[in-house]
Amino acid sequence: MELSHGILDKLEEIGEADVVIGILTKNVEPTILHVMNVVRSGVLQYLSQYKTLVVVSDGFSTDRTAELASMFEIQPVQKLVVEQMGVPGKGDGIRTVMEIAHHTKSKAVAFVDGDLLSIKEEWIQEMVRPVLYGRTDLVVPFYVRDKFDGVITNNLAYPFTKAYYGSDIRQPIGGEFCISKKLMKILLNHPLFPSDFGIDIFITTVAAAERSRIREAMLGLKLHESTTKYLDPESSLIPMFRQVVTAMFDLAVYYSSRNERHAITDVVVSDYYGPIPVPVGVNREKMLETVAMRYEEYHDIFEKLLPEDILQISKSFTEGEVALDAKNWARCVWHIFSEYSKTKDIMLIDALRVMWLARFIGFYNECKDMDFTEAENAIRENANIFEELKYEILKNTS
């Protein structure tokens, strides 16, 4: 991907920058000014001695997002509003920012979503300074989230990443990152750089597999406008699931000979006494309906790959008796991943998402009465199950 002549001309006027902060946007008219204002305040408060460039990378918005971002004055911080290069998708939005950071010879490049409601000035310090001071290559967030927020993270992205790479990155698709110049070069040259929602797991996975220095930053509560879309899994979560899991599985195949244990600074979660996370609504009936409707589509895949005891459980899905416990869910993941590593058949990921929804219903049943700390402990225990089963299943199915 090459930057357009228009962007290059603007960068010639800007010159070099120590830090680039990218704001990823698409139809976020209600929140973009708030996010830009907080980023400006954070830069002035914590990075005043550095030359910082704020880049709004807009993903072809059809509302007034780009117009408002262009009008909003954030001086003395420098600002650049661009339409992202490539195709619609978060990955190409991030790549656009990275290319700009590379051109300006930046030492650190950070990313925040343009629909954040809870962003604080302190986030700039927590994310950027560890990279800027040379102590780490990647800062990932640790958010205090409702137990039913992060539904792809809790039941798949987190346990899979922890088990496969030995990296206890609690929120590997957290949305906000800061990366070093060194890691950015690796990412830009990587053959699997995704253009879509797979970008978050891509950044985290590559950093873990390439043995980069990784740090988790406790950023507190995360509220973002798009959380409201989780209520309808067909329109929002399922397309995201395919993109994230495809990237995650493709990277696991790519790094299959390098999935050694990798040390990372853990965030130890004890009792939490801060603000209570905003509850996330769960349309359990819609998920039950989706599993019952979709299960038969992938019946042949399940019959071929899954153990008989799991098949006996899943046969009741069409009758509305939907729930999958943590152990059987982990077994499903490893069996399907093993087959995917041989065939790269995207239908396997579509089949897995049916079981994922069944697991989410099981997780809902198990955790609906738990508080934050209890649910967090349960999620981590479930991740340990992934680790325990990984070697045995992959060895027997390879």
Side-chain angles (χ1 to χ4, degrees):
M1 179 186 294
E2 295 183 1
L3 297 174
S4 68
H5 291 298
I7 294 176
L8 290 173
D9 289 343
K10 293 175 182 177
L11 291 177
E12 286 300 315
E13 298 176 11
I14 292 170
E16 295 184 5
D18 298 307
V19 180
V20 168
I21 299 177
I23 303 175
L24 290 307
T25 64
K26 182 175 182 180
N27 296 330
V28 293
E29 180 181 332
T31 55
I32 181 57
L33 296 184
H34 168 67
V35 173
M36 291 181 70
N37 188 52
V38 174
V39 169
R40 174 188 180 275
S41 297
V43 170
L44 293 178
Q45 186 170 350
Y46 298 109
L47 302 176
S48 59
Q49 67 271 47
Y50 300 98
K51 184 175 181 181
T52 300
L53 172 64
V54 174
V55 178
V56 177
S57 181
D58 187 61
F60 309 100
S61 292
T62 56
D63 63 3
R64 297 180 64 223
T65 297
E67 177 187 351
L68 292 174
S70 297
M71 292 170 54
F72 189 63
E73 186 58 67
I74 65 171
Q75 287 290 347
V77 181
Q78 291 187 296
K79 176 193 72 175
L80 181 61
V81 180
V82 300
E83 185 173 83
Q84 71 179 53
M85 309 297 291
V87 300
K90 185 178 179 182
D92 276 352
I94 282 184
R95 181 157 201 141
T96 301
V97 177
M98 285 187 184
E99 294 287 358
I100 290 171
H102 174 71
H103 191 86
T104 57
K105 300 181 180 179
S106 300
K107 302 178 182 69
V109 53
F111 303 94
V112 297
D113 288 336
D115 69 340
L116 287 166
L117 302 174
S118 59
I119 185 172
K120 295 180 174 60
E121 289 87 352
E122 292 77 16
W123 288 18
I124 302 301
Q125 172 182 233
E126 294 296 324
M127 290 198 302
V128 176
R129 281 189 171 180
V131 174
L132 198 55
Y133 294 170
R135 295 196 297 264
T136 190
D137 293 304
L138 173 65
V139 174
V140 294
F142 184 96
Y143 295 116
V144 178
R145 306 171 78 173
D146 182 74
K147 54 184 175 283
F148 301 131
D149 194 2
V151 293
I152 299 175
T153 296
N154 293 343
N155 289 300
L156 185 52
Y158 166 56
F160 186 94
T161 300
K162 184 174 186 290
Y164 201 81
Y165 301 97
S167 293
D168 195 4
I169 305 169
R170 178 60 185 85
Q171 292 171 15
I173 53 174
E176 281 63 57
F177 301 94
C178 187
I179 64 177
S180 69
K181 186 176 183 178
K182 175 184 174 183
L183 178 57
M184 181 175 67
K185 183 177 180 180
I186 295 172
L187 295 169
L188 285 173
N189 292 319
H190 202 287
L192 296 182
F193 198 113
S195 61
D196 52 27
F197 277 122
I199 187 65
D200 291 2
I201 195 67
F202 169 76
I203 291 173
T204 305
T205 296
V206 172
E210 299 286 348
R211 302 176 182 84
S212 299
R213 296 166 300 173
I214 305 173
R215 177 188 179 94
E216 289 181 304
M218 175 61 83
L219 299 183
L221 291 179
K222 179 176 184 177
L223 304 175
H224 52 127
E225 189 272 337
S226 60
T227 300
T228 59
K229 300 173 185 175
Y230 291 175
L231 291 174
D232 185 359
E234 287 284 348
S235 67
S236 179
L237 285 177
I238 285 179
M240 184 186 295
F241 181 90
R242 175 187 269 202
Q243 294 171 17
V244 171
V245 179
T246 300
M248 186 172 73
F249 278 11
D250 284 345
L251 286 159
V253 175
Y254 181 83
Y255 286 115
S256 59
S257 63
R258 301 177 62 180
N259 60 343
E260 302 159 6
R261 301 200 67 82
H262 172 76
I264 178 174
T265 302
D266 295 342
V267 172
V268 178
V269 179
S270 55
D271 292 338
Y272 177 68
Y273 300 105
I276 298 173
V278 175
V280 172
V282 175
N283 192 336
R284 183 173 175 273
E285 295 306 313
K286 180 67 174 178
M287 290 188 178
L288 287 167
E289 177 185 317
T290 300
V291 174
M293 179 176 62
R294 298 290 185 188
Y295 178 79
E296 287 299 329
E297 292 181 34
Y298 307 102
H299 176 267
D300 291 346
I301 292 175
F302 298 140
E303 287 284 340
K304 176 184 176 183
L305 298 179
L306 299 184
E308 182 61 31
D309 58 329
I310 296 180
L311 290 175
Q312 290 303 316
I313 295 170
S314 62
K315 285 175 182 176
S316 64
F317 290 174
T318 55
E319 301 170 3
E321 298 177 21
V322 178
L324 205 58
D325 65 22
K327 182 175 181 179
N328 285 325
W329 162 237
R331 293 167 69 201
C332 287
V333 172
W334 291 127
H335 280 286
I336 290 177
F337 168 70
S338 178
E339 183 68 13
Y340 182 86
S341 68
K342 305 167 193 171
T343 65
K344 294 291 188 74
D345 184 356
I346 197 69
M347 288 286 288
L348 294 167
I349 291 175
D350 291 340
L352 183 63
R353 76 188 184 195
V354 176
M355 291 300 190
W356 164 69
L357 286 175
R359 171 55 195 149
F360 182 78
I361 294 166
F363 176 75
Y364 175 86
N365 294 340
E366 295 159 11
C367 298
K368 63 181 184 296
D369 296 324
M370 292 183 180
D371 63 21
F372 168 80
T373 301
E374 292 169 335
E376 186 63 30
N377 289 335
I379 291 166
R380 290 178 179 271
E381 289 173 6
N382 292 343
N384 291 336
I385 294 172
F386 266 70
E387 288 188 284
E388 293 166 3
L389 294 173
K390 172 202 159 192
Y391 178 75
E392 175 188 348
I393 293 176
L394 294 186
K395 181 182 73 171
N396 291 334
T397 56
S398 60

